[in-house]
Amino acid sequence: MILVVILIAAVCFGGEADAIVPEYVAEMNGKQYESLADAVANVPADNTPHTITLLNHATGDGIDAGEGQNIIFDFNGYTYTVGPDESALVGPNGTVSQAMRILNNATIVMKNGTLNSMTARMLVNNYGDLVLEDFIL
């Protein structure tokens, strides 16, 4: 009985059980990211292809693919939902209404998954090069 109390106290008041483990959404070049938007922000604008792989189903902010970025999104069979509300959307000032915006001279491949949003008025606004492979919008 005393051992049980000691174990409960150890779990409740310290030790490894209190450690917060982040949930990673995406991976690029061996580095994991807590959001898809963070992974995209770390892609250089030098037209070098970078693959971002989704690690699980996720909900998060909209994606702004910048000029000169070359990104292969491998959704890995998962769904990425932009939301939960309009604050997650992207777009130019005054018209923030998109789940994903691809700017001029950006190259994007989206494959093996689904992109959706219940709040976006436009799912993808494409000014660059976009390829969809086994992908649902």
Side-chain angles (χ1 to χ4, degrees):
M1 177 75 168
I2 294 174
L3 181 58
V4 171
V5 172
I6 292 171
L7 288 174
I8 291 172
V11 169
C12 292
F13 299 109
E16 292 181 33
D18 285 355
I20 297 173
V21 178
E23 184 171 328
Y24 296 109
V25 171
E27 181 177 68
M28 178 177 64
N29 298 330
K31 180 173 168 65
Q32 294 183 331
Y33 296 88
E34 292 181 34
S35 76
L36 191 55
D38 286 344
V40 171
N42 281 284
V43 174
D46 62 2
N47 288 311
T48 303
H50 287 79
T51 299
I52 296 174
T53 304
L54 218 59
L55 300 175
N56 49 50
H57 295 293
T59 298
D61 288 341
I63 305 302
D64 239 339
E67 192 167 325
Q69 286 185 310
N70 187 335
I71 306 171
I72 302 163
F73 290 100
D74 185 351
F75 280 63
N76 205 20
Y78 296 115
T79 297
Y80 184 74
T81 301
V82 175
D85 55 40
E86 290 186 6
S87 68
L89 302 177
V90 296
N93 289 337
T95 59
V96 177
S97 61
Q98 303 145 24
M100 179 177 217
R101 180 173 65 155
I102 302 168
L103 297 178
N104 288 330
N105 299 316
T107 302
I108 304 298
V109 174
M110 296 193 308
K111 63 183 187 176
N112 305 323
T114 302
L115 174 69
N116 67 28
S117 173
M118 297 302 288
T119 56
R121 283 178 245 133
M122 181 184 301
L123 204 52
V124 177
N125 188 4
N126 180 28
Y127 295 104
D129 294 323
L130 173 63
V131 175
L132 303 175
E133 297 176 5
D134 191 25
F135 200 79
I136 298 170
L137 293 174

